[in-house]
Amino acid sequence: MNVLYLHTHDTGCVVSPYGYAVDTPNMQALAEDGLLFEHAFSVAPTCSPSRAGLLTGTYPHQNGMLGLAQRGFELDASKHLAHVLAGAGWRSVLCGVQHEVGYYTDHALALRTLGYEEDITADATPYAERDLVAWDAENARNLVRWLEAYDGKRPFFVSFGQHATHRAWPEPASGAADYARPPVNIANNEVTREDYAGFLASARLADENVGLVIDALKRTGHYDDTVVLLTTDHGLAFPFEKCTLSDAGVGVLMAIRVPGATLARRTFEGLVSHIDVVPTLLDLLGIDKPAYLEGRSLAALFSGGEVPGDDAVFAEVNFHTSYEPIRSVRTERYKYVRYFDEGWLRVNRSNVDGSPTKDFYEAHGLADVTKDAEALYDLYYDTFETNDVAGDERYASVLADMRTRLRAFMERTHDPLLKGPIAIKPTWKVNRRECVAAGSRDPSDYESLGGHFTVRERGMA
């Protein structure tokens, strides 16, 4: 059985299979032909830590990916799924974005360290000058050609990663913003509608590339011998979403299609985490699961079996551009969030991607927004996590239980925060928590510039 891993960048679950007015018919068709997970969550709302969690089946504080790969943070690459599958005889192929080592396009490094044998990615040097929309489309065409030439001698594991829907969005069509409603936790005005229209344009193009690849899989006869996983890393690159532990930050699209599956349902309501993906795939492929895996297999769902949702899902932030140590535990009804840097209970503004929407909030007091050191949300009554009930006596027993759950998780997984703040290594590039923008050229805006790492242009973190 082959595996095709389709992934986008910063999409959350804002696609049509989840009921959003987004032009993604190919994702919709794939979800309808497989199993859609209604409540799927990443282990981190930042790019490299999220992907590292998904692809190793371990949490960022366990696998080393405490921050962004291009900022000097390093993964224990021996646990990467490409390594595991290549060692079991699979032909491992990289096409497009990866974010587990170096920059998105440091593919020579990815081939050396992550376990990929082949790289069929379009040229992306210099990355910052490429038309990223065209680059995604070129990668899709490269994968189509690869599938057409595939000899079938060894099963394949292909990672097809798109830059979309990361910022640097294409220009929306004229008038598109007039009918674009920004995310519900974002103020609805001319600035934010125009900004969100760019996301919608990017999502549509990402979907077209998914369609090209799925059509090629069908045309070459491999749709019925390939497990297809469709997901993203975390939430949209808007304020209060990406780089937060709200559901808008860690909630993700996830659909899995298994050939010949017997499904009791088309959507799964239980809580699941990206940490569950590797054990699920290994069970589906008949490969022994390593002892280090933290997640649990969902494979029985594809043979008509019943699997309960996770009792709780956990997520974390350590570093994005600045140090912002946060942990969360989410059950079906409750979310508990703990901020460990109690000396800075304001928004880490460099951790908010630059955008017209951010500019709007900067002009309207973003610097004055504060965070509670710990927060408890009743998600049945507070979907958008705006009413902290940690101080409400009616929730005292719930708060105690969620604190206990988080503490037990941190102890079991040997979370370094139990020993105090994480020391910043000189090889890491880290903004000061007071810094406004990730790409500042002022060295005083950094705790460390990470040795050979320099301030990059184009708003890249």
Side-chain angles (χ1 to χ4, degrees), residues 89-108:
W90 268 252
R91 183 176 171 181
S92 55
V93 182
L94 178 60
C95 183
V97 164
Q98 63 80 29
H99 208 173
E100 299 93 71
V101 291
Y103 278 88
Y104 307 140
T105 55
D106 284 346
H107 286 179

Side-chain angles (χ1 to χ4, degrees), residues 362-400:
E362 288 283 3
H364 293 84
L366 183 63
D368 299 322
V369 175
T370 59
K371 304 177 291 197
D372 295 328
E374 67 171 355
L376 178 68
Y377 303 105
D378 185 340
L379 302 175
Y380 283 179
Y381 293 96
D382 183 24
T383 305
F384 300 113
E385 300 164 57
T386 58
N387 180 32
D388 177 10
V389 296
D392 188 329
E393 281 301 314
R394 294 175 298 173
Y395 290 89
S397 62
V398 176
L399 178 62

Side-chain angles (χ1 to χ4, degrees), residues 14 20-22 176-189 192-197 199-200 236 238 241 361 384:
V14 184
Y20 291 91
V22 184
D178 293 338
Y179 307 101
R181 172 65 165 83
V184 292
N185 62 339
I186 297 294
N188 181 7
N189 57 46
T192 61
R193 287 194 298 273
E194 184 71 26
D195 199 14
Y196 183 61
F199 168 83
L200 294 175
L236 277 62
F238 278 87
E241 301 198 9
Y361 280 102
F384 300 113

